[in-house]
Amino acid sequence: MPNWFQAQIQKAFLEKNRHQIKILNQCWFYYQKFRL
């Protein structure tokens, strides 16, 4: 997982930003899917 992505996720979790976490999860899912 890229550093910038981990930073974004940690920030979202610290702020308990569910909307942001959901978006980041979707982005990560697509990133993994298309990288293969």
Side-chain angles (χ1 to χ4, degrees):
M1 192 179 281
N3 283 341
W4 62 267
F5 193 84
Q6 280 181 313
Q8 289 289 311
I9 279 193
Q10 283 175 344
K11 187 169 175 282
F13 270 108
L14 284 172
E15 294 170 1
K16 296 198 169 28
N17 189 341
R18 298 226 168 144
H19 182 66
Q20 182 84 2
I21 292 167
K22 209 160 150 183
I23 291 170
L24 287 168
N25 279 337
Q26 285 174 340
C27 288
W28 182 244
F29 176 77
Y30 283 116
Y31 175 74
Q32 290 285 71
K33 192 173 160 185
F34 292 115
R35 204 180 54 163
L36 298 175

